[in-house]
């Protein structure tokens, strides 16, 4: 695995203790990332686009796998994606911890993952050919023809 600290450093040269990777071609994702940036920075965390060519090698994922969901990587090497990433990120932000507590209830992680997949499959992308197009559907494997 590529070293997180050697591959990604903040603009000021400091090393972040973790990274949230997001789809920079998605307006919805970018808007949330901009809102989160100062919150994460205060906690020693940073943002980077999934499209950065180093990210795939760092996480050991193909471009298709990368573009399915946001990814959260801590400097200790632990990583998560999608709803699991949202919960891991919530552990780092005191006012988001209720999401962690809710996730511990029976079947709630399953519900959170399903909700995340639903939102991710309907996000709007600035790219002409959005990778999430292949994921859009009812999660039973059938493809849905409409998008939001």
């Amino acid at each position: 695995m590529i070293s997180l600290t050697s591959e990604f450093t903040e603009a000021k040269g400091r090393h972040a203790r973790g990274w949230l990777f997001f789809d920079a071609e998605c307006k919805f994702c970018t808007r949330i990332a901009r809102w989160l940036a100062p919150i994460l920075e205060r906690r020693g965390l940073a943002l980077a686009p999934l499209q950065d060519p180093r990210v795939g090698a760092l996480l050991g994922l193909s471009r298709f796998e990368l573009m399915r969901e946001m990814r959260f990587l801590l400097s200790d090497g632990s990583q998560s994606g999608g709803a699991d990433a949202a919960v891991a990120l919530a552990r780092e932000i005191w006012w988001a911890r209720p999401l962690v507590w809710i996730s511990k209830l029976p079947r709630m992680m399953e519900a959170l993952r399903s909700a995340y997949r639903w939102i991710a499959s309907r996000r709007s992308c600035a790219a002409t050919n959005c990778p999430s197009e292949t994921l859009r559907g009812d999660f039973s494997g059938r493809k849905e023809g409409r998008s939001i």
Side-chain angles (χ1 to χ4, degrees):
M1 176 185 269
I2 298 171
S3 166
L4 177 66
T5 55
S6 67
E7 279 300 307
F8 287 94
T9 57
E10 295 180 73
K12 296 176 184 162
R14 295 177 303 211
H15 297 289
R17 61 182 191 84
W19 291 87
L20 179 64
F21 299 104
F22 69 99
D23 182 356
E25 294 175 351
C26 168
K27 293 177 184 177
F28 174 73
C29 306
T30 302
R31 188 171 32 248
I32 291 172
R34 281 189 190 138
W35 177 74
L36 281 173
I39 296 165
L40 297 178
E41 187 178 322
R42 285 192 297 272
R43 289 158 178 83
L45 302 169
L47 290 162
L50 287 166
Q51 288 83 353
D52 186 308
R54 300 171 292 176
V55 176
L58 179 69
L59 300 177
L61 299 171
S62 70
R63 176 159 169 78
F64 177 77
E65 291 171 314
L66 277 177
M67 300 313 294
R68 291 185 72 165
E69 59 190 9
M70 71 175 171
R71 307 291 304 178
F72 185 55
L73 174 67
L74 289 172
S75 57
D76 67 4
S78 61
Q79 66 170 288
S80 52
D84 295 282
V87 172
L89 188 59
R91 285 187 187 99
E92 304 293 328
I93 304 169
W94 71 265
W95 49 261
R97 289 212 181 108
L99 180 62
V100 177
W101 305 332
I102 289 169
S103 75
K104 293 182 185 293
L105 296 173
R107 300 183 58 108
M108 281 307 295
M109 265 321 292
E110 183 181 322
L112 290 171
R113 288 181 188 121
S114 180
Y116 182 91
R117 285 190 307 267
W118 186 86
I119 292 167
S121 71
R122 286 156 178 81
R123 68 181 191 244
S124 68
C125 293
T128 338
N129 184 13
C130 179
S132 67
E133 287 295 320
T134 57
L135 304 174
R136 191 166 278 131
D138 63 8
F139 309 115
S140 65
R142 292 177 292 164
K143 193 167 180 175
E144 186 177 288
R146 67 177 183 85
S147 63
I148 296 178

